[in-house]
């Protein structure tokens, strides 16, 4: 990451990024953007620390449980009508709660049906990927799960820490990668929740184009509760079928609306 002048710092218009930058400025004891920009140029460590701070997410299993209920009752059954093999992409997977939630959800919905599925989980942060691969979580992260689900898919390590079981891990492949450049195709479902808030509108349009190209014609996209699909280009590529849940279907000949 290179930020050459104090003016460059003001290009980060998103409130989230401003908060992260201001937090780092306070941490290193500088008062203005120009001074912090000089630090970024002269310090070999600070740019990496700042970059990592951009990818820190507060997350948990089955975050916004009504979204997961909808995927369980409507989206996954709809996909299964025409598919016996499912590929899912968790884009911006952070520390793994989302892709593991997907693996649990699919295991529960599919049950004994003869259906295979695979979840590709990516994040730009290698530290996040390593935490996700480890698969250890504090009990607070599991607060949305029922006791029976916890007992079925987790092993307690101590009073406050659980490890995700191999029966879940086997379905998830973690890889470091940027959303725009990561090579993936023929996907039935993409979840990219609370990631797009980091992007400005033009960049979001590019991400949506990537998602449209990646999804099968009967595919679905799920974004975060604080996110929306804006702009004419995106509007021509997706249909918002469940506004409250922020779930979209890829627009293709014939459509795939849920009734």
């Amino acid at each position: 990451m290179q930020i050459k002048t104090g003016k460059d710092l003001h290009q980060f218009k998103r409130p989230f990024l401003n908060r992260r930058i201001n937090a780092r400025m306070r941490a290193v004891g500088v008062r203005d953007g120009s001074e912090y920009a000089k630090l970024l140029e002269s310090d070999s460590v600070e740019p990496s620390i700042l970059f990592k701070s951009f990818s820190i997410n507060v997350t948990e299993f089955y975050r916004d449980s009504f979204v997961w209920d909808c995927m369980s009752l409507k989206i996954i059954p709809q996909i299964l009508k025409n598919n016996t093999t499912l590929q899912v992409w968790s884009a911006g997977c952070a520390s793994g709660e989302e892709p593991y939630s997907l693996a649990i959800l699919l295991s529960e919905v599919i049950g004994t049906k003869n259906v295979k599925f695979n979840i590709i989980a990516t994040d730009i942060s290698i530290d996040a990927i390593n935490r996700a691969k480890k698969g250890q979580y504090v009990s607070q992260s599991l607060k949305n799960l029922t006791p029976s689900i916890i007992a079925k898919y987790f092993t307690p390590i101590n009073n406050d820490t659980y490890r995700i079981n191999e029966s879940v891990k086997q379905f998830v492949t973690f890889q470091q990668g940027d959303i725009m450049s990561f090579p993936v195709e023929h996907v039935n479902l993409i979840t990219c929740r609370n990631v797009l808030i980091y992007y400005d509108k033009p960049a979001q349009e590019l991400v949506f184009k990537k998602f449209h190209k990646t999804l099968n014609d009967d595919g679905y996209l799920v974004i975060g509760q604080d996110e929306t699909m804006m702009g004419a280009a995106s509007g021509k590529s997706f249909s918002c079928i469940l506004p409250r849940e922020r779930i979209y279907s890829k627009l293709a000949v014939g459509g795939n609306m849920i009734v």
Side-chain angles (χ1 to χ4, degrees):
M1 172 181 291
Q2 272 194 322
I3 300 178
K4 294 184 178 180
T5 68
K7 182 179 178 181
D8 290 325
L9 286 172
H10 295 296
Q11 294 175 359
F12 292 103
K13 301 296 186 182
R14 308 295 299 181
F16 171 86
L17 297 182
N18 284 331
R19 289 196 298 270
R20 295 299 190 197
I21 292 170
N22 289 333
R24 285 306 309 158
M25 288 171 60
R26 290 193 299 271
V28 298
V30 300
R31 296 183 178 181
D32 59 53
S34 297
E35 187 178 356
Y36 187 58
K38 291 178 182 178
L39 177 65
L40 289 172
E41 290 181 334
S42 62
D43 191 302
S44 61
V45 176
E46 183 60 25
S48 177
I49 296 174
L50 176 63
F51 180 75
K52 288 179 180 179
S53 76
F54 291 162
S55 66
I56 295 174
N57 290 307
V58 177
T59 186
E60 60 198 19
F61 286 85
Y62 281 33
R63 184 179 184 181
D64 304 316
S65 57
F66 64 93
V67 176
W68 295 89
D69 290 341
C70 185
M71 284 199 285
S72 174
L73 297 173
K74 295 183 178 181
I75 301 302
I76 301 306
Q78 183 74 12
I79 294 174
L80 291 176
K81 287 182 180 180
N82 301 312
N83 299 276
T84 57
T85 302
L86 274 64
Q87 178 150 283
V88 181
W89 181 19
S90 173
C93 68
S95 48
E97 288 90 337
E98 180 179 281
Y100 287 140
S101 292
L102 286 164
I104 292 171
L105 180 72
L106 286 166
S107 297
E108 289 293 298
V109 174
I110 290 170
T112 59
K113 297 185 182 74
N114 186 24
V115 176
K116 296 181 179 179
F117 68 89
N118 175 58
I119 298 162
I120 302 168
T122 64
D123 198 277
I124 197 170
S125 168
I126 189 61
D127 291 337
I129 291 294
N130 288 335
R131 291 197 303 273
K133 287 180 177 179
K134 191 175 182 181
Q136 292 187 10
Y137 302 96
V138 296
S139 58
Q140 181 67 14
S141 296
L142 281 60
K143 65 181 182 181
N144 298 321
L145 303 179
T146 63
S148 61
I149 290 292
I150 294 173
K152 186 175 181 179
Y153 294 106
F154 294 84
T155 299
I157 298 175
N158 54 46
N159 290 338
D160 193 51
T161 307
Y162 291 80
R163 179 186 296 113
I164 195 82
N165 291 344
E166 290 298 325
S167 61
V168 179
K169 278 189 172 185
Q170 65 175 327
F171 297 115
V172 184
T173 301
F174 290 101
Q175 295 188 51
Q176 182 186 20
D178 175 71
I179 290 175
M180 288 303 302
S181 60
F182 187 78
V184 59
E185 57 184 7
H186 303 307
V187 171
N188 303 97
L189 172 66
I190 296 174
T191 59
C192 184
R193 308 185 68 222
N194 308 301
V195 176
L196 294 170
I197 55 174
Y198 301 166
Y199 293 80
D200 60 17
K201 289 294 189 291
Q204 288 179 9
E205 288 289 355
L206 293 175
V207 171
F208 288 134
K209 287 181 180 179
K210 168 66 178 273
F211 288 162
H212 189 268
K213 182 179 179 181
T214 299
L215 283 168
N216 292 339
D217 285 346
D218 60 352
Y220 296 91
L221 169 66
V222 186
I223 61 177
Q225 290 298 290
D226 294 326
E227 300 164 333
T228 186
M229 189 176 293
M230 301 293 289
S234 299
K236 294 178 181 178
S237 301
F238 293 90
S239 174
C240 185
I241 56 172
L242 294 162
R244 178 174 179 250
E245 290 79 8
R246 301 293 196 274
I247 298 178
Y248 297 77
S249 66
K250 176 178 176 177
L251 281 179
V253 176
N256 59 331
M257 298 293 289
I258 293 177
V259 295

